[in-house]
Amino acid sequence: MHETHHDGRAYGAAMATIAATTHDPALLGTLDEIQRRVLWLAVRMVDHANRERPPAPVPAGREAEFAVKVGGHMASSASMVGIMTSLWFAHLDGADKVAVKPHASPVFHAIKYLQGELDRSFLFRLRERGGLQSYPSRTKDPDVADFSTGSVGLGVVAPLFAAMTRRYVDAHFAASDPARFIALVGDAELDEGNVWEAISDAALQGLGNVMFVVDANRQSLDRVIPGQKIKKLMEFFDGSGWHVVEAKYGSLLQAAFAREGGDALRRHIDEMSNEHYQSLFALRGADLRPAFLHDADAAVHRFVDDIDDRELVPLVQNLGGHDLGLLLDSYRACDAVTDRPSVVFAYTVKGWGLPIAGDPLNHAALLSPTQIDALRAELGVDDTTEWDRFPDDSPAGRVCRRAGDEVNNVPPAPRPQLPVPERVGGATGAKPVSTQEVFGRLLTGLGQVPEVSERMVTLSPDVSVSTNLGGWINKYGVFHPEEQPDHLGPDRLLRWQQGPTGRHIELGISEMNLFLALHALGLGQELHGQHLIPIGTVYDPFVCRGLDALIYGLYNGARFVVVGTPAGVTLAPEGGAHQSTITPSIGLELPGLSYAEPCYALALDWLLCDGVRRLGDPDGDSLYLRLSTRPVDQRPFADAAARLGEDELRRQVLAGGYRLVEPDPSLPADAPRVLLASCGAVLPEAVHAARLLAEEGIAATVVDLTSPDRLYRNWRGELQAAARAARPADLDSLAIAALIRPDERRTPIVTVHDAASHSLAWLGSVFGQRTTPVGVDAFGQSGAIVELYEVFDLLP
Ligand SMILES: Cc1ncc(C[n+]2csc(CCOP(=O)(O)OP(=O)(O)O)c2C)c(N)n1
Ligand SMILES: [Mg+2]
């Protein structure tokens, strides 16, 4: 494998090559027996799902239209069998948390089955609805994975952020049982930039309870990875201050290298290209020798002459990632280093033990029935025993039972119900004020409620100051595992007092890290036994930069508040690069997230308090607030509160909208009508437009859509329920029915949004009204607010 160091420089002191030590041969023998069964079950599960399970019933005659393969990843699973068997049966204990490489999910389930945590019936339900998920799922798999994985790269760092969360939780609450946080990583996953964003972030340094194990099979989906990739990756980790362990060669090869002339063998393998090395795995006996010796010098020929054909195959494939003793040594070496995270590069064979081993196109390859039959015989099971666990009284059975007792997941306690007030208060006044400014004040206000405050933690990717977290940070400080001197002193606009009691986590400019940290903190209850209230701020356009991590967090059931501010072209002078347009649709469409875009201070107060409370509700969700720096006159809201009463107004604001301005009563009853529906920073333009329209004799109603998301879901939910029950939809029961009165349901609607016009265009469909959507359907540009509103038709 062509992995020699390019400039001959010695690796950093942190890098260690593990030499095999002696282990109890009986234990290694039992682990080997277990790994063979794990391999069999993982492969057979995929095989069964593809060849034996009857397909889901399909409307008659339409079979071809629904015929897609089930799929699954035998080769990616096989390369992890040694790593995962040694880990689960001889290393982990109950408190440890592990993220499993997405395509090794069958291995995870095979292990959980052998340990007694997964019922046998699930072995036949891989990739079936309600069965085992294609990729490990924290929320859907019956044998609960600690972390979901699937979008490569995200699961890699999830345990790193979880360890960061544990460190935070232990510093703020009573310390919990020590746990190790482990990621099992595909080597090509490390191509994803988010991995390196996390590894280099200061907030994630010094976590000695983290271990990554990289399945270095030198293959991705498409190819054998050329060149010196693994050495480069090791250097990256080393350069980031990690403890790096290389488990490259197994004990057979290590022993061969130690024999006389063994150096030449080592050099030959080290210098061989990955493609050449991988091509050897398909060869047996006499075919292997000439291929192995291609380009070898005389010393290697001499050395190999003494090895017979049968010994050559296991020797050539004897990589560290399949040597159980070496793997255990590697894990222990990582445990021994407690001041920084560790990574093991375990060299493996993709498709280990299978006829597709090392084939560059084996990623999704399935064994043929004949190959399955041969493998069954080779791995020591038959038709009658192939799905069995080991007998309880066998050595393997005893190891399975003991490991199972130690590592079964305990279901988490429900999140506590906190005394979150309905409103913080004190945010309103006579002066026009922006939602972003109010948000800053509300945070410090919520900080006055001790049971809530102690669980609040804010985060920002280097935009704390410009998203108004300054007041909160000044009061509660910045988290650092150790007390830090404050060289600049307290007399500054923004203090930066760092220590273990701090309640703000500052991140570098990585929105992926923001959402991955929100995900980790938002699972505080599930993974660490402490419910947290994580609140992250980000410039709204850069929500898109972290979008996959945001989706990941929601998919995993994490609960957090994210504040996108400032948003829209209202950020006028900052220019098109900073003006968000499509984020409302993201907020509306993502499950598990309530998107709200209030315009007025008290509406924001209610929404934030309600959102914080919902983080702890069993059927709650996360909250996305889209805010602005535009100062807004608060009087129209005070008028609406006087008209509707505060309790009713609050109820409507939380439901998603209310009538802000009623039509001018001085207009005749038969005056032409229009309904202006808007939200957020451009709402004052709708209010102003209503006045101008009244002067022209047109009766305009202004509706403030505080959460278009909640209104849409409420409407869509009723339509769906009605359709499924074959009954007419009860539109009068909808929250929107309070916004659009019966006598207005033929009135034309104009929607006005500082966002893509599409986001509110659905509104007219509720009652079948003609709708003109107005919004920002082009990239923005620098200018004054008034100029940009003019460009996008947002000025009345
Ligand atoms: C973000 C993302 N992009 C692409 C994919 C599709 N994909 C799945 S596995 C894979 C290759 C992974 O290679 P590696 O991590 O080395 O895993 P191996 O199967 O070799 O163990 C790709 C590109 C994905 N799952 N997620
Ligand atoms: Mg790989």
Side-chain angles (χ1 to χ4, degrees), residues 382-464:
D382 61 31
D383 287 351
T384 60
T385 58
E386 59 174 345
W387 298 106
D388 287 354
R389 294 194 175 102
F390 293 106
D392 273 348
D393 55 358
S394 65
R398 279 193 290 276
V399 169
C400 289
R401 222 52 78 233
R402 198 190 55 233
D405 286 347
E406 280 167 11
V407 303
N408 278 351
N409 284 313
V410 182
R415 294 165 193 251
Q417 298 290 311
L418 301 177
V420 187
E422 281 191 356
R423 61 189 274 194
V424 171
T428 43
K431 262 195 10 213
V433 64
S434 73
T435 43
Q436 178 173 309
E437 189 185 336
V438 171
F439 165 70
R441 286 194 236 146
L442 292 176
L443 275 192
T444 40
L446 263 180
Q448 307 296 317
V449 187
E451 296 96 317
V452 177
S453 176
E454 65 182 11
R455 295 182 183 275
M456 285 169 66
V457 47
T458 59
L459 301 116
S460 188
D462 203 32
V463 289
S464 299

Side-chain angles (χ1 to χ4, degrees), residues 73 75-77 79-80 101-104 135 149-154 156 185-192 194 214-223 225 348 350 362-363 548:
H73 301 89
S76 304
S77 290
S79 80
M80 289 291 285
K101 182 186 84 166
H103 299 75
Y135 307 114
T149 59
S151 171
V152 299
L154 301 182
V156 176
V185 180
D187 48 356
E189 282 198 79
L190 297 175
D191 289 342
E192 289 287 2
N194 82 273
V214 180
D215 173 5
N217 60 25
R218 304 161 307 287
Q219 284 185 238
S220 56
L221 194 158
D222 280 344
R223 59 175 181 169
I225 299 163
T348 58
K350 186 158 175 170
N362 65 9
H363 186 77
D548 198 26

Side-chain angles (χ1 to χ4, degrees), residues 185-232:
V185 180
D187 48 356
E189 282 198 79
L190 297 175
D191 289 342
E192 289 287 2
N194 82 273
V195 174
W196 305 101
E197 292 177 34
I199 279 168
S200 56
D201 198 295
L204 293 146
Q205 300 299 305
L207 293 161
N209 53 355
V210 170
M211 175 173 76
F212 286 7
V213 183
V214 180
D215 173 5
N217 60 25
R218 304 161 307 287
Q219 284 185 238
S220 56
L221 194 158
D222 280 344
R223 59 175 181 169
V224 173
I225 299 163
Q228 307 180 6
K229 190 67 186 275
I230 293 185
K231 286 296 180 214
K232 276 186 202 139

